[in-house]
Amino acid sequence: MAINLTKGQKIDLRKETGAKLTSFCVGVNWGAIETKGFLGLSTNKQSVDLDLSCILIDENNNLCDHIYSPLYNIDFLQQFGLPKGKLVSLDGALRHTGDDLQGDSGGDDGLDNEILTVDLSKIDPKISKIFFFLNNVGQEDFSQIPYSKIRMYEGTPTQVKEVFASYNVSAESSYSGKKALILGKLYKRNDEWKFDAIGDPTPDTFLGQTIHLIIKSYL
């Protein structure tokens, strides 16, 4: 059975059989914002453009690689000392499926909107932490977005074979004004990979701010 994670929960990447989970997908799913029209007689749907990104940290707590959208403005990135975005890690162990610009407009369809495929056997040995986070490209905040969910599963970006763990984040008032979400991290302890469900919202309006916050406060 899949593990339903709670905020701050840490888990080993081992299946019920005891076998290690080494090749899997990290997917994020989210819904469109629904509002009622005049007299509540109609429903309006507003697409939401979230970006799933990750940064890779080495054993000395240095930022050594990244995956985020190549569409981010290079001038803004350079203000934070960050290079142009890309969708594949330097070691080829992580690959991003690309931007989803609207989320689930017809309700949860069972597939994730943006996905990172992960092969732990290919990760550069110096990598010790991988942080996953979401940034909202639009004006909405996470109190308005009906749900967002991160999950790890075996399969492909278009076919879920078996869900290993999931972490659901539903809209709530405490997320008002929060436009970014630090979802969780993979981290290596005694040569074994584990996962920590962080789930912290932040008011960051740009990816560079989120990366700086992670480096300052989460390593």
Side-chain angles (χ1 to χ4, degrees):
M1 292 180 61
I3 303 170
N4 293 314
L5 295 170
T6 57
K7 183 179 175 67
Q9 185 176 353
K10 298 175 176 62
I11 58 169
D12 295 330
L13 297 188
R14 286 188 176 273
K15 297 184 278 189
E16 290 182 338
T17 62
K20 292 183 180 179
L21 186 71
T22 57
S23 182
F24 53 93
C25 294
V26 175
V28 174
N29 196 32
W30 66 88
I33 297 171
E34 293 188 2
T35 56
K36 293 295 183 181
F38 181 67
L39 297 178
L41 299 176
S42 61
T43 300
N44 301 316
K45 293 186 178 182
Q46 178 183 340
S47 297
V48 177
D49 182 5
L50 302 182
D51 285 342
L52 170 64
S53 308
C54 74
I55 54 172
L56 292 79
I57 307 295
D58 69 16
E59 58 240 351
N60 297 314
N61 283 339
N62 296 314
L63 173 62
C64 56
D65 200 3
H66 67 279
I67 293 179
Y68 48 76
S69 174
L71 300 178
Y72 278 112
N73 186 297
I74 188 64
D75 292 331
F76 283 134
L77 289 168
Q78 288 177 346
Q79 292 178 26
F80 293 89
L82 298 171
K84 182 177 174 61
K86 58 188 180 70
L87 299 179
V88 182
S89 62
L90 294 173
D91 53 22
L94 289 90
R95 296 175 180 271
H96 197 298
T97 54
D99 278 348
D100 182 304
L101 303 178
Q102 61 183 24
D104 288 345
S105 58
D108 190 347
D109 60 5
L111 293 175
D112 295 322
N113 301 113
E114 293 192 12
I115 301 159
L116 277 157
T117 60
V118 181
D119 187 344
L120 295 177
S121 67
K122 294 182 179 179
I123 289 183
D124 188 319
K126 70 182 179 185
I127 303 298
S128 64
K129 304 181 189 77
I130 304 170
F131 287 88
F132 300 92
F133 52 97
L134 283 174
N135 291 92
N136 190 357
V137 178
Q139 298 302 312
E140 313 82 21
D141 62 40
F142 275 93
S143 69
Q144 300 169 278
I145 302 168
Y147 61 86
S148 58
K149 175 174 62 180
I150 181 173
R151 63 178 177 176
M152 292 177 284
Y153 66 88
E154 293 180 286
T156 68
T158 58
Q159 184 176 21
V160 178
K161 181 180 177 183
E162 184 174 356
V163 177
F164 175 71
S166 64
Y167 179 40
N168 295 311
V169 180
S170 298
E172 55 181 73
S173 58
S174 64
Y175 290 174
S176 179
K178 311 296 188 182
K179 294 187 60 180
L181 188 64
I182 302 171
L183 294 164
K185 70 176 179 180
L186 289 168
Y187 65 101
K188 190 164 55 175
R189 174 98 24 107
N190 298 325
D191 290 326
E192 286 208 13
W193 286 95
K194 304 175 184 292
F195 184 78
D196 178 7
I198 298 173
D200 286 348
T202 82
D204 305 331
T205 57
F206 185 64
L207 164 137
Q209 296 168 304
T210 309
I211 291 175
H212 277 208
L213 176 64
I214 291 172
I215 293 172
K216 178 183 178 181
S217 304
Y218 288 84
L219 300 186

